Amino acid sequence: MEFKNLVSKVLVESLVDQWIQEDIPNFDYGGFVVGEKVETAVLLCKSEGVVAGVPFFQGIYDKLGCQVRWIVEEGTQLQPIAQVAEVEGPVNKILMGERISLNCICRASGIATRARYLQNAAKSAGWHGEIAGTRKTTPGFRTVEKYSLLVGGISTHRFNLSSMVMLKDNHIWSIGSIETAVKRARQACGFSTKIEVECRSLEEGRQAVQAGADIVMFDNFESDALHRAAAALKSQYPHVLIEASGGITVDSIHSYFGPHIDVISLSSTIQVGNHLPTLMWDWNASTKYLL
């Protein structure tokens, strides 16, 4: 599936402008040294992983006036050593985009690789639900990171505070009750937006559904307690979606798969060391690698 068509050109151009401005606020001294001789650089993958981040990598070199030829499709699971793409253009422009393009594609590919692992784990377990990321993303890089989850095969969860209502413990404590919080949220979001409530017990889950919540998140439950609470709530309210979150890791996620769990969200899909470190340039004219 070509997720690159999901991202608007206007958004990519806006992000690329920010990244280039951050990296080159005034003079490009190295670019001055090498000049505008046309070169070709090859993007190599030297460790196993899933390629992601194509529209952002492409957008960087479109902006810089270089041509990119993709050798593999986004979402491909690669075995090292593999050629991913070739970039042709003035050498100063290739080098101008080198670091930010590698930052994008390495970060995106690392996240997609982790996401693919989790997707495969769910399939192997025969679980029917969705694994999702969270809103715990890198400031200014959320679009790339959320996009990469999709390429890897899992869900983004809500994209921002405007895309879904999530009432967490602090909201409930501030307003006074789950019922009041849900009803007030529904006044603002109407019928077209789902409301999710973070719950610490089965009783809170019941209160949330009775107040009109669409999704109940059981937060920081041990897996056995989670499955008991989910089964009890589904027996009363089979239409409600149940999400498990909090303290779930790649190593422990298998114990959270269950027939009454619809969504499992974990922040480590994005946060913990997700970087494919050995995507690098190889210059056709030499054996030198540029990292």
Side-chain angles (χ1 to χ4, degrees), residues 51-85:
V51 176
V54 163
F56 309 102
F57 187 101
Q58 182 75 49
I60 290 165
Y61 282 110
D62 285 347
K63 178 71 174 181
L64 296 174
C66 298
Q67 302 299 313
V68 182
R69 183 178 75 86
W70 292 98
I71 299 168
V72 299
E73 293 184 357
E74 187 171 52
T76 301
Q77 179 87 34
L78 294 180
Q79 300 294 328
I81 298 174
Q83 291 190 357
V84 178

Side-chain angles (χ1 to χ4, degrees), residues 203-247:
E203 179 54 33
E204 287 189 352
R206 290 192 180 106
Q207 291 175 28
V209 180
Q210 290 165 3
D214 304 289
I215 308 168
V216 168
M217 175 198 286
F218 284 129
D219 191 39
N220 288 307
F221 276 54
E222 295 294 334
S223 58
D224 290 343
L226 168 74
H227 294 305
R228 289 194 299 270
L233 194 63
K234 284 277 193 178
S235 68
Q236 290 182 275
Y237 309 101
H239 67 283
V240 72
L241 292 176
I242 295 179
E243 176 180 343
S245 190

Side-chain angles (χ1 to χ4, degrees), residues 167 172 175-186 197 204 207-208 210-212:
L167 299 172
I172 307 302
I175 199 66
S177 72
I178 289 174
E179 181 181 9
T180 302
V182 172
K183 289 184 175 179
R184 192 164 184 175
R186 186 63 73 190
V197 179
E204 287 189 352
Q207 291 175 28
Q210 290 165 3

